[in-house]
Amino acid sequence: MASAKSSRSRPAGHSGVFPVGRGGGGGGDGGVQLADKLKIFKTDNFDPDAYVQSKCQTMNEKEIRHLCSYLQDLKKASAEEMRRSVYANYASFIRTSKEISDLEGELLSIRNLLNTQAALIHGLSEGVQIDSLTSGPDGSAEDNISNVEDQEPSEIQKWSADFPDMLDVLLAERRVDEALDALDEAERAAVDAKRKQTLTAAEVSALKRSISDNRQRLADQLAEAACQSSTRGIELRAAASALKRLGDGPRAHSLLLSAHSQRLQCNMQTIHPSSTSYGGAYTAALAQQVFSVIAQALSDSVDVFGDESCYASELVTWATKQVMSFALLVKRHVLSSCAAAGGLRAAAECVQISLGHCSLLEARGLSVSSVLLKQFKPSLEQALDANLRRIEESTAALAAADNWILTYPPTGIHPLTRSSAANLALQPKLSSSAHRFNAMVQDFFEDVAPLLSLQLGGSTMDGITQIFNSYVNSLISALPGSVDDEANLDGLGNKIVRMAETEEQQLALLANASLLAEELLPRAAMKLSSINQSSMDDLRKRGADKQNRVPEQREWKRKLQRMVDRLRDSFCRQHALELIFTDEGDTHLSAEMYIDMDNTVEEPEWVPSPIFQELYAKLNRMASIAAEMFVGRERFATLLMMRLTETVILWLSEDQAFWEEIEQGPKPLGPLGLQQFYLDMQFVIIFGQGRFLSRHVHQVILDIIDRAMAAFSATGMNPDSVLPGDDWFMDVAQDVVSVISGKGRAANGDREVNSPTASVSAHSMSSFKSHGSS
């Protein structure tokens, strides 16, 4: 136990190596660089067995598994680092490889030239030896010549003499393989004859010149054949292979790629964008030609030249050039028009077709998709913006004629679930403009989802946020009081919409915005993550944290909710102003209505003031309407009613003119006025408990009563001496609540027993009196 405990408490990564994260990023290792982590493995005296023994000697099974996992992650991180390093210097690598290939060709030419010069020198030296024979004793030269003439030629001499004619026949009959074999045999024969001296130096030099000349003739013949448009497939590979066998590999590879380029240009002449009105068909036909030729060139290059780096680099450069030309053609003839017209779906289809062909090449080790993405991304962003503008303009036009009546999705707009009696209740009820907005956004997300590889997710979500904000502005403009409300003038613009005259229509505006922001738009945005799940899995394998996307999605939903809150505040402000002010600009809630009560002779009728009765009646009506509109979203309806109550009460609490008149006016607040004010506030407490009153507003009401009692106490009178008992206020308020709501009185008033604020009401009356006496 002690050893296990000590091994667990020992910090991982001693001996200079620190564990990396599962994704290989090492983000949580205190800033230790990958190069530092790999130092221990790069030393000359690194012993794997000793390293494993030092790590595993005191480890238990769990720690050994952790070490294995760590080493695997470090291996992946090292491979990723090497890949990034290669890509970072890939252009220089290709350029250097090309220069090396050219240098190899020049060295080959120099070698051939040196061989020719060596043969010439040998020939000259042989001539000198022949001249020396003629300068010998009299008759010796003639004897030697006669001996040579009388001597029968050897087999090698006969073969050497017949070699040029034999090779001419092979070249004329295009028997390339036999010609190559003959040249190789001649090379070996020349070396052997020189070593054994079976041929004279002149004969060896002549044989070497014949070999060199015929090699050049064969190379030119093969190059000419490779350039013919009729040379394809096996013939082309055979010609390139023969050239490589002749020692001219760089020229052979260049001719191979040139032949494929010529074939591609010939095939593309039959494809014209004007021959079809469908951009996807043109893209598919063009991609079929381009990528099939690239794939064939890749196969031919590997078959003939293998995986040699110099040839692979030239192939990548050539393929990149062909893909670039393809991308420019698609961009010019398809994507430009799609981007200008906002045809996101057509543009997305063209990109998907192109990327699909790229994936086939990537499966064979050739990655060119980055070239396409770089060229296509600007056009797709333009199409994205144009599509968003179209949604915004179309929705604004529909809002101008919307009757703001909630209905189920009309025919022609695809529903979220299959239509049936059981699923009818699951369908969203929206007005006509909101239905259209939702349908267009749904289609938009479906179109843009396949394009996430172009990293358009951020601009997509920002664009949806902007058009939803524009739609919310249209809804605010539909409120009757929005034109006169200076707080709403900024950002709304000159939007022409149909006014929502009735409370039901105005609540429909809120139903539109809340349902879109809380359910429909987030549900549509989920298509991005579901369709791109494989890409997200790849990111997780590279160390990306999926949870990092969750805060972004939550922040996006919060942005949408803030726009709904802005509409809700405009709604509550308008209805509060309708309650407080008359059409002529006078107020229904002033200090005089309480102060003047003590100047009347007749005993007042003790009921809550009309403004508060109207407030409760309005809340009661709206709550009944909202119960049908906000099915499943009752919390939003409750918060809306609370917000309206809060708007009225806060206006009263912050009205400086009201309180200056109460506290410092020429006429003080009298007993009847205080009693009426107390009754009004108690009435709000009674009807608001659990439905229309938040804890915050409840406390504000207590503060308001406390302030009114303080003003009354300043006159020298005790509020407790003039106010009736608690039961009287509750009875009067509850009677009015029952009359307005049309319900009988309940044992606990009109509040819900389990409501979050019901527990406060039991102490409300004692709190009022304690505030007043204090």
Side-chain angles (χ1 to χ4, degrees):
M1 293 297 293
S3 62
K5 180 178 180 181
S6 63
S7 66
R8 285 195 300 271
S9 62
R10 181 173 61 253
H14 62 87
S15 302
V17 182
F18 297 88
V20 296
R22 293 294 299 168
D29 300 328
V32 179
Q33 297 296 325
L34 179 62
D36 296 333
K37 301 173 187 175
L38 297 175
K39 280 182 179 178
I40 189 172
F41 303 105
K42 295 181 179 179
T43 57
D44 296 335
N45 57 352
F46 175 72
D47 187 354
D49 294 334
Y51 176 80
V52 173
Q53 288 294 331
S54 66
K55 291 290 183 181
C56 301
Q57 187 172 6
T58 59
M59 287 185 175
N60 55 29
E61 180 180 358
K62 182 178 180 180
E63 291 174 325
I64 292 175
R65 290 181 181 274
H66 177 71
L67 178 61
C68 293
S69 175
Y70 153 65
L71 292 175
Q72 288 292 336
D73 292 339
L74 193 60
K75 178 181 178 182
K76 294 178 181 178
S78 177
E80 179 66 16
E81 182 71 18
M82 183 181 69
R83 186 185 67 82
R84 286 197 298 266
S85 178
V86 170
Y87 284 163
N89 302 281
Y90 199 61
S92 301
F93 175 73
I94 292 177
R95 184 174 63 254
T96 304
S97 300
K98 181 65 176 177
E99 293 175 354
I100 291 174
S101 300
D102 296 340
L103 184 60
E104 289 177 348
E106 294 177 0
L107 290 175
L108 179 63
S109 301
I110 293 174
R111 187 183 71 178
N112 293 335
L113 179 61
L114 290 175
N115 289 335
T116 303
Q117 291 178 346
L120 178 60
I121 292 172
H122 284 296
L124 291 174
S125 64
E126 184 67 20
V128 171
Q129 292 177 3
I130 293 175
D131 291 341
S132 66
L133 290 175
T134 60
S135 60
D138 294 342
S140 61
E142 284 95 358
D143 294 340
N144 290 333
I145 293 173
S146 62
N147 291 335
V148 171
E149 291 176 351
D150 295 339
Q151 184 179 1
E152 281 291 329
S154 64
E155 292 296 328
I156 185 65
Q157 288 175 329
K158 292 180 180 179
W159 182 90
S160 177
D162 295 338
F163 172 73
D165 296 335
M166 176 188 65
L167 203 58
D168 287 341
V169 173
L170 293 176
L171 294 179
E173 295 179 357
R174 297 186 179 274
R175 294 156 62 183
V176 177
D177 291 336
E178 295 180 34
L180 288 172
D181 294 339
L183 288 171
D184 291 340
E185 183 182 358
E187 289 278 3
R188 291 191 296 270
V191 173
D192 188 66
K194 182 178 180 181
R195 181 173 57 82
K196 295 180 179 181
Q197 296 183 351
T198 55
L199 292 176
T200 64
E203 291 172 336
V204 172
S205 298
L207 178 59
K208 288 185 175 180
R209 284 196 300 272
S210 177
I211 293 172
S212 177
D213 293 342
N214 283 288
R215 278 186 177 277
Q216 188 63 44
R217 282 179 58 197
L218 180 57
D220 294 340
Q221 180 177 321
L222 291 171
E224 182 181 0
C227 293
Q228 298 295 326
S229 60
S230 59
T231 304
R232 296 184 181 180
I234 298 177
E235 295 180 359
L236 180 60
R237 288 192 295 273
S241 180
L243 269 174
K244 181 188 177 185
R245 186 174 171 183
L246 287 171
D248 203 356
R251 183 186 183 189
H253 195 260
S254 298
L255 287 173
L256 177 68
L257 298 180
S258 177
H260 283 292
S261 297
Q262 184 179 2
R263 171 192 167 193
L264 177 60
Q265 294 299 323
C266 181
N267 293 342
M268 288 177 60
Q269 291 178 1
T270 61
I271 304 174
H272 303 285
S274 58
S275 62
T276 175
S277 59
Y278 178 44
Y282 171 75
T283 304
L286 192 64
Q288 176 64 30
Q289 291 295 336
V290 172
F291 288 95
S292 62
V293 169
I294 294 176
Q296 186 61 51
L298 175 61
S299 298
D300 292 347
S301 177
V302 173
D303 290 345
V304 177
F305 301 94
D307 296 328
E308 296 183 39
S309 60
C310 57
Y311 301 125
S313 300
E314 185 181 11
L315 174 64
V316 171
T317 304
W318 175 83
T320 301
K321 180 180 178 181
Q322 306 306 317
V323 172
M324 177 70 75
S325 300
F326 164 78
L328 292 176
L329 286 174
V330 174
K331 185 177 179 181
R332 182 186 309 124
H333 297 299
V334 180
L335 292 183
S336 296
S337 58
C338 291
L344 185 60
R345 177 167 298 183
E349 183 178 358
C350 293
V351 174
Q352 284 298 102
I353 292 172
S354 303
L355 293 179
H357 283 83
C358 281
S359 64
L360 298 178
L361 292 180
E362 290 178 356
R364 303 176 63 178
L366 183 59
S367 177
V368 291
S369 58
S370 59
V371 179
L372 287 179
L373 299 181
K374 183 178 180 181
Q375 293 296 321
F376 289 167
K377 188 173 181 179
S379 298
L380 289 171
E381 288 177 342
Q382 183 181 356
L384 189 75
D385 294 339
N387 206 268
L388 290 170
R389 286 196 304 271
R390 180 176 60 83
I391 295 176
E392 181 178 358
E393 294 169 358
S394 178
T395 306
L398 290 172
D402 200 332
N403 58 7
W404 309 119
I405 297 176
L406 303 185
T407 60
Y408 289 110
T411 304
I413 296 181
H414 56 78
L416 298 180
T417 58
R418 294 183 178 179
S419 299
S420 65
N423 292 329
L424 186 60
L426 300 178
Q427 298 297 326
K429 290 189 70 175
L430 300 168
S431 69
S432 59
S433 62
H435 273 305
R436 185 56 183 162
F437 179 86
N438 178 47
M440 288 189 292
V441 170
Q442 296 271 348
D443 293 339
F444 174 80
F445 275 120
E446 291 178 359
D447 295 342
V448 80
L451 303 178
L452 289 187
S453 58
L454 278 73
Q455 299 179 352
L456 296 176
S459 57
T460 298
M461 305 307 288
D462 292 341
I464 293 297
T465 303
Q466 293 175 6
I467 62 173
F468 181 69
N469 183 65
S470 177
Y471 183 59
V472 169
N473 288 338
S474 298
L475 299 179
I476 294 176
S477 299
L479 292 172
S482 61
V483 178
D484 301 326
D485 190 354
E486 295 181 357
N488 286 328
L489 291 179
D490 295 336
L492 293 184
N494 298 322
K495 293 186 176 295
I496 302 176
V497 296
R498 185 173 180 177
M499 287 296 168
E501 301 293 346
T502 66
E503 292 176 351
E504 184 175 3
Q505 290 176 320
Q506 293 164 17
L507 285 172
L509 303 178
L510 288 159
N512 284 339
S514 63
L515 186 58
L516 287 170
E518 295 176 5
E519 296 184 18
L520 299 181
L521 294 184
R523 188 185 306 167
M526 289 178 63
K527 297 177 182 178
L528 299 183
S529 58
S530 62
I531 294 180
N532 202 42
Q533 186 64 40
S534 58
S535 299
M536 292 176 64
D537 293 339
D538 293 339
L539 289 175
R540 287 197 296 272
K541 292 178 182 178
R542 298 175 186 174
D545 188 0
K546 179 182 178 182
Q547 294 182 352
N548 291 337
R549 298 177 58 88
V550 175
E552 296 178 2
Q553 296 171 355
R554 290 177 178 173
E555 178 59 27
W556 180 68
K557 292 180 68 174
R558 280 195 289 267
K559 288 180 180 180
L560 300 181
Q561 189 58 50
R562 284 195 290 270
M563 298 172 191
V564 178
D565 293 342
R566 187 160 54 87
L567 173 62
R568 181 202 61 191
D569 292 343
S570 298
F571 172 88
C572 294
R573 182 165 41 284
Q574 172 205 328
H575 284 275
L577 293 175
E578 289 178 357
L579 290 169
I580 296 171
F581 294 100
T582 64
D583 295 338
E584 293 77 17
D586 297 332
T587 178
H588 291 297
L589 184 59
S590 63
E592 288 80 6
M593 60 185 284
Y594 297 106
I595 294 174
D596 293 343
M597 290 186 67
D598 290 277
N599 298 329
T600 59
V601 178
E602 298 179 358
E603 178 72 15
E605 181 182 357
W606 291 109
V607 293
S609 299
I611 180 176
F612 295 106
Q613 293 189 48
E614 179 58 29
L615 172 61
Y616 175 58
K618 182 183 288 289
L619 290 171
N620 211 40
R621 289 195 308 271
M622 289 185 177
S624 299
I625 299 172
E628 299 180 0
M629 285 189 178
F630 298 92
V631 177
R633 294 179 294 125
E634 290 77 8
R635 183 175 181 274
F636 180 86
T638 300
L639 293 177
L640 175 64
M641 302 300 115
M642 289 183 176
R643 182 62 174 171
L644 177 54
T645 306
E646 178 182 0
T647 305
V648 175
I649 297 302
L650 288 181
W651 186 93
L652 174 62
S653 174
E654 298 170 359
D655 187 4
Q656 296 298 326
F658 179 90
W659 291 106
E660 287 178 1
E661 190 70 21
I662 292 290
E663 298 171 337
Q664 304 173 10
K667 298 179 181 180
L669 181 64
L672 298 180
L674 178 62
Q675 185 174 344
Q676 181 65 51
F677 187 82
Y678 195 101
L679 176 61
D680 289 343
M681 296 301 100
Q682 178 62 20
F683 178 64
V684 176
I685 293 287
I686 293 297
F687 76 67
Q689 290 296 328
R691 297 182 62 194
F692 309 132
L693 197 64
S694 65
R695 291 179 179 270
H696 169 67
V697 177
H698 187 276
Q699 184 60 47
V700 172
I701 293 176
L702 293 179
D703 295 339
I704 289 174
I705 294 176
D706 187 34
R707 189 171 181 180
M709 286 186 171
F712 182 79
S713 299
T715 62
M717 292 184 288
N718 185 3
D720 291 334
S721 63
V722 299
L723 291 178
D726 297 343
D727 294 338
W728 182 87
F729 288 102
M730 294 188 68
D731 289 340
V732 174
Q734 189 61 59
D735 288 341
V736 178
V737 167
S738 301
V739 171
I740 295 177
S741 63
K743 299 178 182 178
R745 293 186 56 178
N748 195 29
D750 195 36
R751 61 186 180 276
E752 299 174 7
V753 177
N754 296 325
S755 67
T757 56
S759 60
V760 183
S761 63
H763 304 283
S764 60
M765 296 303 297
S766 59
S767 298
F768 295 157
K769 288 302 183 70
S770 63
H771 277 269
S773 60
S774 62

